[in-house]
Amino acid sequence: MITGSEALLKTLIAEGVDTIFGYPGGQVIPIYDTLYDYQDKLKHVLVRHEQGATHAAQGYARVSGKVGVALVTSGPGATNTITGIADALMDSTPMVVISGQVPSSLLGTDAFQEVDVIGITQAITKWAYQVRKPEEIAWAISRAFYIASTGRPGPVVIDIAKDAQVGMVEYAYEKVNYVRSYQPIPDMKPHRIEQAAELINNAKKPLALVGQGVILSGAEKELHEFLEKADIPAGSTVLGLSAMGSDYRLNKGMLGMYGNVGPNRKTNECDVLIAIGMRFDDRATGNLQAYAPQAKVIHFDIDKSEINKNVAVTVPVVGDAKQTLAAVTGLLKPAQHTEWINSFDQDEKEEFEKVISKEVTPSEGYLRMGEVVRKVSEATGNNAVLVTDVGQNQMMGVRYFKYNQTRSVITSGGLGTMGFGLPAAIGAKFGAPGRTVCFFTGDGGIQMTIQELGTIMQENLNVKIIVLNNNFLGMVRQWQELFFHERYSATVMTNPDFEAVAKAYGIGSRTVEKREELDEAIEEMLNYDGAYLLVANVESHGMVYPMVPAGAAITNIIMGEK
C-alpha cells in the first residue's frame, strides 16, 4: 500500500518521464513531499511562474518528441497555466498538466484556492479529468499520456484532490493503450491514396505545403522520398520549417503572411496543391476566396475535422502522414518538373534584391534584425535550436535562421503568445541538452516572463538569449505604421538596463549596436560557459518584409517602402 502521491510519481516514471516543470503550493504539497524521495529519478525544475511551467513543458516536448509535464497547485496555480494549455492545443503539443485540488469534501464550497479547473480547461484540452480517489491515479495518468501523445497530440489536464494524494492505495500500473470511442490514427482509405497518386502523376505544376504534422508523425524521411520521386517543390508553415533542411533543393521557403515570395505566388499558379500536416491557418492562406482557386487540392491530415474546414479539398487523405505519404509515394511515377521548379528562381531573385540583401547584408545604418539572426545562425553552423518569442523577432527568426535537422524551431504559432520564448528555451535545453539553444526575443516579449531568468540561474542552464531591442512593441508598431497612419498608440517601450538585469541573475551579458562589433559579440556569447544575454540595439523602425496584409490575397505582397 502506498499513497496516491507515490502512485502518481511511480506512474510518471513508468510513462518515461524524466523532467517535471512546476511550482509548489498548499494543495499539492503531498506530491512535492513524496517527490523529495524521488529526486534521483525525476528532475524537478522550479520555475518562477506557473505559465512558465507550461511553456517550458512545451519547449521540452517540441524539441524531444516526448510529453511535457507541468505540476502546479490549485486555484491561481492552475489558472496561471491556462495560456500555456491553450497554446499547446493550438500547436498540437503533447503536454500533461497536473494540478492539485482542495479535498473532495470541500469541492463546491468555494474553499480557499478552489477553482473549477475541469470546467475552465475542457475547451482547451484533449481531455480534462478530476481525480477524487487514490485508486484512479495510475489509470488517469496513463490515460492522460496516451491521449496527449497519440493521434493529433495536445494537452491533457489531471486535477487531483488532496485527499486522493494522501489516501492509501494498492498500487498496480497498467499502461493504457486503448480508449473506447477514441481512434487516434484513422484507417487509411486505399481509394484516396490512389486518387491522390493519380492527381500528382498527372500534375504539371505540383506544389507541396509542409506543416508540423510531418514532424509530429516522424515522417521527415517519407516526405523527402515523396518530394524526390515526384520532383515537387515545397514550402513550409512556420511550425513545419525544420522538416526539411534550409538548403534542400526542393525547399522553397516559408509560406504565409511574412513568408517567402515564391511559395506564396506559386500557390496561385500550381495545378495541384498538396497540403501535408497543416491546417490552412489564416496566416498561411490570406483571403480564402482568392486562395489557390485554380488548383486541385490534396490534404494529408490525421485530424479529419481539418478536412474542408477552411479550404475545399479535392482528395482528402486522412491518416498518419508517415503511413499515408509512404503509401502514395509507392504509387507515384518518377517525374521531373525542372521548368516549374526553375520558375521559382525569379521570385527568389526579386525577394533577395528588394528585401533579403538589405536585411541580411546592409552596408550602413543601424543594426538590422535579420542580420543579427543570420549571423548567429551561421556562427552555430546552422545546427542550433531556434526558440523565439512572438512579434518581429519571431518572423525575423524563422525567416533568417537556418536548419540542418528536424525539431529545430520552437515558437508559438497558433496562439501567438508573447512571453512564450524564455521558458520554452529552458524546456528546450532540458529536452536537447547536447544542442545549442538560441532564443531570440524582443524587448517587449522578454519582459513578460523575465522572472524565468531565475530558473536559468538556479539550474545553471547554458541558454543563449538575444534581445532584438528596438524600444518598441515592434510588430504592433509595424501595423500602426502601415495601416493606422503612424499613430503609435501604446507601443513605445521604456526599457530597463538589460545588462544590469542579467548581472543580477548571474548571467553573462553584452550590448552591441555597431555592425563592426557584431561578429565578436556573437563569438563571445557562443563561447561563454553558461547562459548569456546579448542585447542587440537594432533599428527602431525596422520592418518585416515581405508581408501579405491581413485579409488580402496571398499574392498581394508588400515588398518594402514604395
Side-chain angles (χ1 to χ4, degrees), residues 88-385:
L89 185 74
M90 290 285 278
D91 286 352
S92 303
T93 302
M95 178 171 70
V96 172
V97 175
I98 301 165
S99 58
Q101 183 56 275
V102 301
S104 54
S105 61
L106 295 179
L107 288 171
T109 69
D110 290 333
F112 179 66
Q113 293 191 333
E114 180 195 1
V115 73
D116 182 3
V117 174
I118 305 305
I120 291 171
T121 60
Q122 277 183 325
I124 53 172
T125 54
K126 286 187 73 177
W127 185 50
Y129 185 77
Q130 186 175 77
V131 173
R132 301 186 184 187
K133 298 178 181 179
E135 292 82 5
E136 294 182 305
I137 287 178
W139 164 82
I141 294 299
S142 186
R143 181 181 168 113
F145 274 78
Y146 176 66
I147 292 173
S149 62
T150 56
R152 181 178 181 174
V156 170
V157 167
I158 301 296
D159 189 47
I160 307 179
K162 195 171 187 178
D163 49 328
Q165 299 171 35
V166 300
M168 303 301 290
V169 62
E170 186 173 338
Y171 179 69
Y173 167 75
E174 184 175 342
K175 186 169 180 61
V176 173
N177 53 26
Y178 169 78
V179 174
R180 190 177 62 182
S181 78
Y182 171 60
Q183 185 181 6
I185 301 178
D187 295 329
M188 224 174 3
K189 306 292 186 190
H191 71 287
R192 296 302 192 190
I193 300 296
E194 293 167 2
Q195 289 172 347
E198 183 179 4
L199 271 184
I200 296 168
N201 283 332
N202 292 321
K204 303 299 182 186
K205 298 179 178 180
L207 176 64
L209 306 181
V210 178
Q212 188 189 202
V214 170
I215 297 172
L216 294 174
S217 68
E220 294 90 346
K221 177 175 176 286
E222 288 75 12
L223 172 69
H224 186 271
E225 292 171 349
F226 170 80
L227 297 176
E228 283 292 325
K229 189 172 184 179
D231 202 31
I232 300 174
S236 292
T237 65
V238 169
L239 297 183
L241 276 171
S242 64
M244 301 180 286
S246 299
D247 295 327
Y248 174 48
R249 71 176 186 92
L250 293 174
N251 184 356
K252 298 303 176 182
M254 186 174 79
L255 56 94
M257 179 175 280
Y258 298 98
N260 295 107
V261 172
N264 282 339
R265 283 183 178 165
K266 299 306 181 188
T267 294
N268 280 17
E269 295 177 25
C270 66
D271 58 356
V272 176
L273 189 67
I274 308 154
I276 310 169
M278 56 89 73
R279 58 189 178 87
F280 290 113
D281 173 73
D282 63 293
R283 284 298 194 262
T285 65
N287 183 353
L288 286 170
Q289 303 306 313
Y291 184 77
Q294 81 297 335
K296 294 180 179 178
V297 179
I298 302 170
H299 192 176
F300 290 79
D301 208 287
I302 201 168
D303 185 353
K304 64 181 180 181
S305 71
E306 294 294 345
I307 305 295
N308 291 315
K309 186 175 80 173
N310 296 325
V311 172
V313 174
T314 310
V315 177
V317 183
V318 181
D320 187 287
K322 192 174 183 69
Q323 299 172 6
T324 54
L325 274 175
V328 171
T329 302
L331 299 180
L332 294 181
K333 299 172 183 176
Q336 284 191 322
H337 298 105
T338 305
E339 185 178 347
W340 167 239
I341 292 170
N342 289 343
S343 71
F344 282 78
D345 293 349
Q346 183 58 42
D347 295 326
E348 292 172 0
K349 181 180 177 183
E350 181 184 0
E351 183 177 351
F352 183 82
E353 291 175 350
K354 292 184 177 180
V355 179
I356 296 173
S357 63
K358 298 175 183 178
E359 186 66 38
V360 174
T361 56
S363 57
E364 58 185 10
Y366 290 99
L367 283 175
R368 304 292 290 260
M369 290 178 278
E371 70 176 310
V372 178
V373 173
R374 179 59 59 83
K375 281 185 175 291
V376 172
S377 179
E378 290 174 345
T380 67
N382 301 324
N383 283 315
V385 175

Side-chain angles (χ1 to χ4, degrees), residues 401-420:
F401 215 79
K402 288 191 172 185
Y403 325 101
N404 289 326
Q405 56 184 301
T406 191
R407 294 191 177 273
S408 293
V409 182
I410 314 298
T411 192
S412 173
L415 200 63
T417 303
M418 286 184 69
F420 168 90

Side-chain angles (χ1 to χ4, degrees), residues 367 372 466-470 510-512 518 534-538:
L367 283 175
V372 178
I466 303 96
V467 180
L468 301 176
N469 180 26
N470 58 12
R510 177 173 175 173
T511 299
V512 60
L518 182 58
L534 176 62
V535 182
N537 290 334
V538 297

